[in-house]
Amino acid sequence: MALARPTIHRSLPVLAATAALVAGTLTVPAAAAGPGPAAARAPGKAPVAVGHGGAVASVDADASAAGIEVLRKGGNAVDAAVATAAALGVTEPYSGGIGGGGYLVYYDAKTRNVSTIDGRERAPLSATKDLFLEKGRPVPFADAVTSGLSVGTPGVPATWDTALRAWGSRSLGDVLKPAQKLARDGFTVDATFRKQTADNEARFKDFPATAKLFLPGGKPPAVGSTLKNPDLARTYGLLARQGVDAIYRGAVGRDIVRTVRKPPVDPASHRVARPGDLTERDLRAYGVRKQAPTRVAYRGLDVYGVAPSSSGGTTVGEALNILENSDLKRLDRTTYLHRYIEASRIAFADRNRWVGDPAFEKVPVDGLTSQRFADSRACLIKDGAVLTSPLPPGDPRHPKPCAHRGAAAPTPYEGEHTTHLTVADKWGNVVAYTLTIEQTGGSGITVPGRGFLLNNELTDFSFTPVSPGVHDPNLPGPGKRPRSSLSPTIVLKDGRPAFALGSPGGSTIITTVLQTLLNHVDRGMPLVEAIAAPRASQRNAAATELEPGLWDSPLRGRLEAKGHVFKANPEIGAATGVQRLPDGRWVAAAETSRRGGGSAMVVRPAGKPPVR
Ligand code: GLU
């Protein structure tokens, strides 16, 4: 069923920025003007910046400023990425933080290597495939969302620690400083934060620690008010002194375990928050995985993403390989969108059948990212017809032109949350980092006295096999990582960074990254325009989701005439990226309007961003 056209509220500064962008007259404010009162920094939020010395793009001005501060003081991209992520833990606490997980991709300018860190949350070691079954029936999804049962062992602190030790030049304590200050002094609540709080009010109020933090006076904070998080400032201080052992072997970890095992619900509320079986042993046993990136060659570029347990790298990669069979540059917009939608549909059919945690499942990563397999799937695409979803998967281990293997596996529900940051430094190092606590607001459960929300990432597992009787690689298991869609991506040309990007948005992350990349590479849009362009998302479902810019356009009718079915989605994703210009300057790019607009900054602004 189609939804009514949604209203999107744009803030005036963002509208002005968009208009200036289109006119090519955008001048970049000195947004990197360093710390000051939060309220004074807010107007500096700009969706694009260009210049020297490094670049940071995130959804939030305070967070981007934290990264810029570290770059300006001589830190590198990894130092700045951790600083930005830690600040997002303050200002975007419903999307990511030390109670969650994520994936980080790093390009090292000296070695020209791309590395990745899988910092995904893990199920408790006691978990079985029946984790979400009670008396043989699946726990209702809504109940699982707000529970200890869905909390995985956090991976964010270990990701920061691992990245800094491997490639950073500053200590954890150093890079946490801007975020610590932000948590202590407070940040200015904007309309997005207030709305996210209001959307969560009903469950937040059932957890006194969450209500105390995010519902001051019992209500969502007013736009323009200052929100402080002294508990998180102290937790960051503890991490600075004790390192991440404070979480994996120390007092904060013990508090996490206690909270998960007995979620601290207001005794006056009727909420039943199921406990989880997380133990101190789970925390001690946690380790990130440093693993090789996925790589596909695409039109002379090398596209690097994260390998499973995320499905991001393989699925974006397969779709790109499929689309390499089309000259997208020359196609009319209708045919371009048609082929993009069909390639996404096919890539999701294969993702759903084959991708799970590789520690538990044989995931044919090489096959999924091979050109031969993509070619065998590309032949399904016909310009005069639309494929039917759910489409069955192919077999990447034995590709046969246009052949299917086994039953279709539809894409299970995933929310549209999370946050992504992209950073580059003056040496040419690049980080693309997506972090999440799953749902906006995660489990809704704050660790009392510690100032952060716990994730509900384990809801990314299939509770039961998506196709009854067919092997599902994404069932829970002991210490297993649920399949993710996070898709931080770095693109190289001749071994040097061309651009990098990523987005939040659950399974729509994959299509957002894919579409933005195509807009930029094939359709010639400058990065910020490629990000701003209206999105379509097909994930092996009957209907393709369309943002208003496409829903309201004549393109929809033309595609419907081919047989496409659409439903409206008010907003898909919130991407950020950086781009290296041929003259050595960096462009930072973020959203012009989604989620209230993002924040792009460079250390030393110089010149204007590229236009078409
Ligand atoms: N849990 C999702 C994933 O890892 C991210 C959360 C979201 O964006 O909805 O793919």
Side-chain angles (χ1 to χ4, degrees):
M1 189 183 69
L3 303 173
R5 192 196 154 186
T7 319
I8 293 187
H9 299 284
R10 291 164 184 236
S11 69
L12 282 175
V14 165
L15 266 186
T18 312
L21 188 68
V22 170
T25 57
L26 185 78
T27 51
V28 181
R41 273 200 296 274
K45 203 171 189 189
V48 64
V50 60
H52 300 283
V56 182
S58 81
V59 74
D60 178 73
D62 288 313
S64 295
I68 289 288
E69 186 182 327
V70 168
L71 289 178
R72 184 178 292 126
K73 288 182 178 160
N76 66 22
V78 172
D79 305 324
V82 176
T84 305
L88 287 169
V90 180
T91 58
E92 290 279 306
Y94 308 147
S95 297
I98 54 176
Y103 298 82
L104 185 147
V105 188
Y106 169 65
Y107 169 82
D108 187 277
K110 221 181 247 162
T111 62
R112 298 202 196 174
N113 273 339
V114 179
S115 314
T116 75
I117 296 176
D118 174 335
R120 186 67 160 170
E121 300 92 329
R122 289 173 54 179
L125 292 163
S126 64
T128 68
K129 67 176 179 17
D130 298 336
L131 180 68
F132 287 106
L133 298 187
E134 277 176 3
K135 297 192 187 125
R137 306 179 80 102
V139 172
F141 189 79
D143 291 356
V145 162
T146 308
S147 75
L149 186 61
S150 65
V151 178
T153 310
V156 161
T159 303
W160 295 354
D161 186 55
T162 305
L164 288 171
R165 282 175 198 276
W167 313 300
S169 69
R170 297 286 185 271
S171 68
L172 182 63
D174 253 8
V175 301
L176 288 179
K177 271 187 194 138
Q180 218 178 323
K181 183 174 186 323
L182 200 53
R184 199 181 52 231
D185 298 350
F187 67 95
T188 304
V189 170
D190 65 7
T192 305
F193 188 88
R194 183 186 155 81
K195 179 170 186 318
Q196 289 178 341
T197 313
D199 291 346
N200 275 293
E201 187 176 348
R203 63 187 190 130
F204 279 7
K205 71 176 170 37
D206 289 344
F207 298 95
T210 308
K212 182 172 158 239
L213 185 53
F214 298 122
L215 300 171
K219 288 265 160 266
V223 173
S225 64
T226 300
L227 196 93
K228 297 182 183 179
N229 189 341
D231 288 347
L232 185 58
R234 273 190 294 274
T235 303
Y236 280 167
L238 208 59
L239 293 182
R241 290 193 302 279
Q242 299 180 359
V244 296
D245 268 0
I247 287 183
Y248 294 105
R249 291 161 192 280
V252 182
R254 284 193 288 279
D255 286 355
I256 291 175
V257 167
R258 194 177 309 123
T259 307
V260 171
R261 298 186 75 83
K262 194 168 187 293
V265 180
D266 181 348
S269 96
H270 298 294
R271 179 171 297 278
V272 177
R274 287 168 173 76
D277 190 29
L278 199 78
T279 63
E280 289 178 38
R281 187 170 151 242
D282 286 303
L283 289 169
R284 279 198 306 273
Y286 186 85
V288 297
R289 247 186 240 143
K290 272 173 90 178
Q291 59 182 6
T294 57
R295 186 191 77 91
V296 302
Y298 184 72
R299 305 200 200 284
L301 302 166
D302 289 299
V303 180
Y304 290 91
V306 285
S309 56
S310 180
S311 59
T314 55
T315 313
V316 171
E318 180 184 343
L320 287 174
N321 281 339
I322 290 173
L323 288 166
E324 213 168 18
N325 285 280
S326 296
D327 188 358
L328 299 183
K329 206 175 250 161
R330 290 185 205 292
L331 295 180
D332 61 86
R333 270 187 91 194
T334 312
T335 315
Y336 162 58
L337 275 172
H338 169 72
R339 293 197 194 166
Y340 154 70
I341 288 169
E342 296 296 70
S344 304
R345 188 192 310 273
I346 296 168
F348 265 90
D350 299 326
R351 163 211 191 255
N352 297 345
R353 167 62 186 87
W354 297 105
V355 182
D357 182 347
F360 291 76
E361 307 288 335
K362 279 203 175 108
V363 188
V365 173
D366 290 345
L368 284 167
T369 51
S370 74
Q371 192 60 49
R372 189 161 153 243
F373 178 55
D375 294 348
S376 79
R377 302 292 278 157
C379 72
L380 292 168
I381 301 178
K382 306 277 177 264
D383 278 344
V386 172
L387 290 164
T388 306
S389 280
L391 184 77
D395 188 343
R397 300 163 310 175
H398 311 288
K400 288 200 191 71
C402 291
H404 294 315
R405 185 185 182 280
T411 304
Y413 170 81
E414 279 181 38
E416 300 189 4
H417 322 286
T418 306
T419 193
H420 175 82
L421 60 103
T422 324
V423 180
D425 66 27
K426 63 181 172 191
W427 298 281
N429 304 302
V430 180
V431 173
Y433 182 27
T434 315
L435 60 159
T436 183
I437 54 171
E438 208 319 272
Q439 178 124 349
T440 301
S443 64
I445 306 172
T446 298
V447 182
R450 301 298 187 183
F452 63 92
L453 284 157
L454 290 167
N455 70 83
N456 62 325
E457 211 71 55
L458 303 187
T459 59
D460 273 3
F461 281 123
S462 305
F463 289 15
T464 56
V466 280
S467 306
V470 179
H471 176 73
D472 184 335
N474 193 33
L475 289 174
K480 190 172 176 180
R481 290 158 153 85
R483 177 175 62 211
S484 172
S485 299
L486 304 189
S487 310
T489 303
I490 295 182
V491 181
L492 304 186
K493 179 155 179 58
D494 303 326
R496 304 260 187 217
F499 62 99
L501 77 167
S503 176
S507 52
T508 69
I509 291 171
I510 290 168
T511 53
T512 292
V513 168
L514 173 65
Q515 193 175 7
T516 306
L517 197 149
L518 300 174
N519 286 343
H520 184 55
V521 172
D522 292 286
R523 306 297 282 185
M525 296 181 198
L527 195 53
V528 68
E529 205 183 306
I531 287 172
R535 294 183 183 136
S537 182
Q538 167 53 249
R539 307 186 303 282
N540 200 19
T544 300
E545 291 170 24
L546 292 186
E547 285 191 319
L550 289 170
W551 181 259
D552 294 334
S553 108
L555 281 167
R556 173 157 69 98
R558 285 185 215 130
L559 287 161
E560 282 169 345
K562 280 184 189 284
H564 285 278
V565 176
F566 294 112
K567 66 176 181 185
N569 184 334
E571 191 171 290
I572 301 175
T576 71
V578 297
Q579 180 193 359
R580 179 88 159 171
L581 297 179
D583 63 11
R585 286 177 303 155
W586 286 105
V587 177
E591 296 287 353
T592 52
S593 65
R594 294 181 187 95
R595 282 206 194 174
S599 168
M601 296 184 184
V602 292
V603 173
R604 288 196 315 282
K608 289 190 178 147
V611 286
R612 265 213 264 194

